[in-house]
């Protein structure tokens, strides 16, 4: 649901050579009821248009101006559009930055040594005041003097990056600022939430260095920026806007004689994400608290909205603005925890016992296994010339699929898979979205992998062996999945008839509050799960969290009943490094939120889904429910969800009694509300 939200108001003013951006503090932002109308011209209304003014002519250096005068037509880069969450909380904005720059006067007949000496002495005067050691290579000074001396030459540079002049520094420089020492303004990207959603938002970088040769029409006043990662690059064409054009006449000594703004910069469009800032922050905080490395995804079952997609560790996006220092970049790239790596949608992991949900549905769908099929849950099972073990060293007796899910019994699933065959399980995995990208608009999304008989015949010369099938049945072997794919599977199971298309972007909006592109919810595919099979599997998942002996008790919360599945995967065997999973949805009786958590264990660490991943789910959803206002639509929608009824189920030959839970059929998704983001640009002009 897209709700009204506070917005930053910016206005764009006429400028000559440089433009600066300013934003009201969040405390000053007003709550605005927003409209979300498509851009459609009303041709039925007749309007009287004012007479167009006569076209302006470019300013020119006439015959009687001095020979070093110049008329320049320059481009003024536009401020990029904002990136905001579904409620308007900003992830990416713009701000103004000042750099210290040199203006070179015309020195007729001066030698190269005199020109460079002048530049050094001017720069040194600033260095003495600020305690800096800034300098420019002689070659750069001479090239600039020859071709571009009418324009500022920035010299507040360290490690190849422009250094911003702070207000304190500016105060110290006041006596020096004037004809030949100036502050050059520029737009900078600003990420007010720091590292929150860093792998989703991405960052910007310079499109190209400023020109150094003779000035030509359209040269930019300051560096243009482009998206480099995440949403910043995926929606770069929407975010970057249209540059302005300014025509300026300079005297030989660099004094501006006259100017005319031919076209104001047109700020970029604004991208409204499906992400809920609070959901995202709760997920990231829990991952930081409980993991060294891991990921969590939360989706809206009804429409596919990705409400959180967190990866830990992350990084502060502002470190990349205006550019990242080489030493810091090397620290990030060489960090063994891979903070730049978006685990939530690019990381491909063995899904472990979370995949048993797929195996159960596939086996039931085959007709060779049913809800009352009993198989032994031994501590080990010989398949071919190998022994495949259960996680529990003690045998648990003979059980059905519900108890097998609750207890996560490996040997039960080996037998069920061998009974049903490879095709029903592989086909169910593909049906639930495994083995293909979800289609979110972020580059290099992980594809995952599902081994099929067709692939095995083509690549290995024969059908899947029983050992391969046993491994796949418990989410090991060759099968791989991203946390986003596992969460998507749970959304499909929660709905029962369809998998919603995962949606990361809701709308693109312009300055006039109008929606120029809306990404409506849609089905990714129909799955039409057998209702009885679906309910049987969900019964087992509810028992995982709420039943006696369930492996996921640590995920339970008082606010809603969770249907879940634990998983523990062998991962990097050579390092004795394993994974823990917990996935599912809630409320069990009327699924609204699907989720998946993966926990990367340290080498030698004893991990399990119930001990490591389930507590993360409990913490995140406890925060979501307890910190939401009482009139939150989410809470109101869950008030009437019926409590699940525990149904006793017999277990033969020991192992205790299992419990199943009756779950209500899925409700149809509610209609979507479309709302917009307010206009938020103020026209500004500097210098």
């Amino acid at each position: 649901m897209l709700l009204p939200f506070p917005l930053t108001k910016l206005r764009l003013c006429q400028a000559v050579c440089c433009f600066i951006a300013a934003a009201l503090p969040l405390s000053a932002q007003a709550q605005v009821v927003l409209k979300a109308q498509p851009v459609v011209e009303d041709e039925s209304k007749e309007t009287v248009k004012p007479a167009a003014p006569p076209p302006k002519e470019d300013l020119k250096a006439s015959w009687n101006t001095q020979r070093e005068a110049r008329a320049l037509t320059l481009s003024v880069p536009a401020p990029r559009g904002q990136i905001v969450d579904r409620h308007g909380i900003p992830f990416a904005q713009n701000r103004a930055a000042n750099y210290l720059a040199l203006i070179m006067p015309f020195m007729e007949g001066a030698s190269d040594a005199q020109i460079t000496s002048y530049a050094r002495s001017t720069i040194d005067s600033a260095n003495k005041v600020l305690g800096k050691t800034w300098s420019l290579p002689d070659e750069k000074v001479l090239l600039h003097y020859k071709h571009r001396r009418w324009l500022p030459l920035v010299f507040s540079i360290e490690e190849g990056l422009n250094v911003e002049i702070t207000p304190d520094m500016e105060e110290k420089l006041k006596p020096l600022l004037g004809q030949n020492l100036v502050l050059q303004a520029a737009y900078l990207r600003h990420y007010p939430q720091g590292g929150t959603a860093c792998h989703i938002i991405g960052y910007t970088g310079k499109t190209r260095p400023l020109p150094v040769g003779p000035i030509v029409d359209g040269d930019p006043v300051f560096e243009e920026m482009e998206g480099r990662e995440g949403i910043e690059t995926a929606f770069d064409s929407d975010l970057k806007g249209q540059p302005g054009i300014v025509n300026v006449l300079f005297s030989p000594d660099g004094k501006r004689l006259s100017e005319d703004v031919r076209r104001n910069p047109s700020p970029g469009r604004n991208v409204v994400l499906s992400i809920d800032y609070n959901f995202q922050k709760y997920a990231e905080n829990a991952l930081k608290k409980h993991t060294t490395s891991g990921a969590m995804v939360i989706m809206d079952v009804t429409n596919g909205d990705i409400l959180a997609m967190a990866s830990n560790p992350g990084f502060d996006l502002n470190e990349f603005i205006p550019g990242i220092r080489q030493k810091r970049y090397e620290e990030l790239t060489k960090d063994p925890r891979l903070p730049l790596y978006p685990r939530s949608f690019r990381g491909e992991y063995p899904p472990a016992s979370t995949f048993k949900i797929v195996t159960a549905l596939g086996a039931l769908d085959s007709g060779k296994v049913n809800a009352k099929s009993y198989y032994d849950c031994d501590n080990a099972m010989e398949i071919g010339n190998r022994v495949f073990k259960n996680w529990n060293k003690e045998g648990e007796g003979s059980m059905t699929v519900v108890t097998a899910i609750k207890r996560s019994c490996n040997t039960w699933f080996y037998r069920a898979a061998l009974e049903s065959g490879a095709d029903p399980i592989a086909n169910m995995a593909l049906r639930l979205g495994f083995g293909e990208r979800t289609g979110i608009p972020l580059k290099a999304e992980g594809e995952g992998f599902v081994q099929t008989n067709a692939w095995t015949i083509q690549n290995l010369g024969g059908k899947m062996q029983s050992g391969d099938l046993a491994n796949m049945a418990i989410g090991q072997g060759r099968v791989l999945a991203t946390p986003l794919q596992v969460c998507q599977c749970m959304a499909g199971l929660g709905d029962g008839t369809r998998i919603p298309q995962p949606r990361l972007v809701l709308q693109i909006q312009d300055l006039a509050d109008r929606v120029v592109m809306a990404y409506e919810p849609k089905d990714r595919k129909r799955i039409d799960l057998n209702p009885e099979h679906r309910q049987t599997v969900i019964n087992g998942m509810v028992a995982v969290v709420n039943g006696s002996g369930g492996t996921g008790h640590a995920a339970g919360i008082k606010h809603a009943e969770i249907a879940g599945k634990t998983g523990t995967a062998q991962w990097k065997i050579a390092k004795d490094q394993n994974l823990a999973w917990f996935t599912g949805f809630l409320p069990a009786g009327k699924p609204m939120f699907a989720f998946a958590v993966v926990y990367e264990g340290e080498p030698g660490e004893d991990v399990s889904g119930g001990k490591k991943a389930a507590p993360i789910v409990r913490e995140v959803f406890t925060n979501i429910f307890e910190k939401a206002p009482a009139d939150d639509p989410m809470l109101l929608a869950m008030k009437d969800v019926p409590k699940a009824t525990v149904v006793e189920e017999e277990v033969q030959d020991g192992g205790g009694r299992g419990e199943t839970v009756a779950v209500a059929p899925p409700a149809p998704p509610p209609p979507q509300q479309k709302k917009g983001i307010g206009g938020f640009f103020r026209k500004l002009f500097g210098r």
Side-chain angles (χ1 to χ4, degrees), residues 36-51:
Q37 301 298 324
V39 181
V40 178
E41 299 297 335
D42 188 352
E43 298 179 356
S44 64
K45 295 181 179 180
E46 295 185 2
T47 57
V48 178
K49 297 182 179 179

Side-chain angles (χ1 to χ4, degrees), residues 36 46 104 141 146 233 268 271 305 340 491 522 530 544 608 610 615 664:
E46 295 185 2
M104 301 289 289
V141 171
K146 179 180 179 182
T233 187
V271 178
D305 283 358
L340 299 179
K522 61 181 181 180
N530 180 298
V544 166
S608 72

